[in-house]
Amino acid sequence: MSLRIALVPAAGHGSRFGAATPKQYLPLHGQPLLAHTLDVLCGCADIDRVVVVVSPADEWFDSYRWPHAKLEVLRVGGASRALSVANGLAALALDDDDWLLVHDAARCCLSSAALQRLLDEVRDDAIGGILAQPVADTVKQGTKAGRIAATIPREELWLAQTPQMFRAGLLGEALQDAANPVITDEASAIELLGHAPKLVLGEAQNFKVTWPQDLALASAILQARKG
């Protein structure tokens, strides 16, 4: 039977966040932000292994106690997300038919329901798929001068989220040129091979902590779930 492995690239430094500590290690409800991400993945019975990919120079990961038996760490992170995923995938040496779910370390508000929906809807798909949200706002294309150039029809637009779930063999083939700047997520790499990944309805709460104000929103969401 095919394995289902969650891979969390966590080698970035969160330059847009502007903190001295990488954002995945910033404190959130008494734990590093990354811990909340891992709790959901490790708590899913349908996921066999959870693998965090950190930088070889990471000095934070070993400072914390990670209580999950299925958790592993690989110190093979690269200069980009795609390179970290490619390096992690190569180090795991999985069977081609095994499923790999790549999830952003900074999407710490992923719900168990959304994760299970992805697993259920993609498990028999020939290509794989991603969590995503339909665009609800009016979308404007801007100019370099800060003016509106056009209004973009939103009817078929989606915001990509994670996890993104693909067979290990297909994803490995897609990431052979992981340094290609066109590859911004796993789905874009799969698309370059001519495939069309499945869109699975995500949730607005499954956002990526990118800016300092996002941490307060993540805190409020996690607190509300406790209550």
Side-chain angles (χ1 to χ4, degrees):
M1 185 175 70
S2 299
L3 295 175
R4 291 169 294 275
I5 295 91
L7 187 147
V8 181
H13 289 280
S15 57
R16 285 178 290 182
F17 201 91
T21 302
K23 63 184 175 184
Q24 58 268 31
Y25 297 117
L26 290 174
L28 182 59
H29 288 291
Q31 302 180 75
L33 183 151
L34 177 61
H36 300 280
T37 305
L38 298 178
D39 284 347
V40 177
L41 297 172
C42 289
C44 178
D46 283 344
I47 292 178
D48 299 293
R49 299 162 63 187
V50 178
V51 181
V52 181
V53 177
V54 301
S55 165
D58 184 290
E59 59 186 85
W60 294 274
F61 188 86
D62 289 339
S63 301
Y64 300 99
R65 179 176 173 271
W66 308 98
H68 304 294
K70 64 173 72 172
L71 182 64
E72 308 168 30
V73 61
L74 292 173
R75 300 181 181 278
V76 295
S80 69
R81 170 215 174 92
L83 287 168
S84 291
V85 174
N87 292 348
L89 183 55
L92 287 171
L94 303 175
D95 291 340
D96 285 351
D97 286 340
D98 289 336
W99 286 107
L100 196 74
L101 292 87
V102 181
H103 185 59
D104 294 329
R107 291 187 189 270
C108 56
C109 296
L110 172 69
S111 71
S112 298
L115 174 59
Q116 193 63 53
R117 183 161 58 248
L118 178 72
L119 287 161
D120 291 343
E121 293 193 23
V122 176
R123 67 172 75 244
D124 296 320
D125 194 87
I127 305 302
I130 71 172
L131 285 179
Q133 274 284 99
V135 171
D137 297 323
T138 298
V139 180
K140 303 293 186 182
Q141 179 181 342
T143 68
K144 292 182 179 179
R147 297 286 180 175
I148 294 173
T151 299
I152 309 299
R154 68 188 179 198
E155 285 74 19
E156 296 181 353
L157 295 181
W158 292 68
L159 299 174
Q161 299 182 344
T162 67
Q164 302 197 358
M165 179 174 171
F166 299 101
R167 298 282 187 184
L170 179 62
L171 187 56
E173 179 186 355
L175 290 176
Q176 287 182 359
D177 186 20
N180 185 343
V182 174
I183 297 176
T184 55
D185 63 357
E186 293 67 50
S188 61
I190 299 294
E191 292 164 51
L192 288 175
L193 295 181
H195 301 298
K198 182 179 180 65
L199 292 164
V200 178
L201 185 63
E203 298 173 336
Q205 293 182 346
N206 184 27
F207 70 97
K208 182 165 64 174
V209 173
T210 305
W211 309 105
Q213 58 268 31
D214 293 340
L215 203 59
L217 178 57
S219 176
I221 292 170
L222 294 173
Q223 184 62 43
R225 288 180 183 173
K226 289 181 180 179

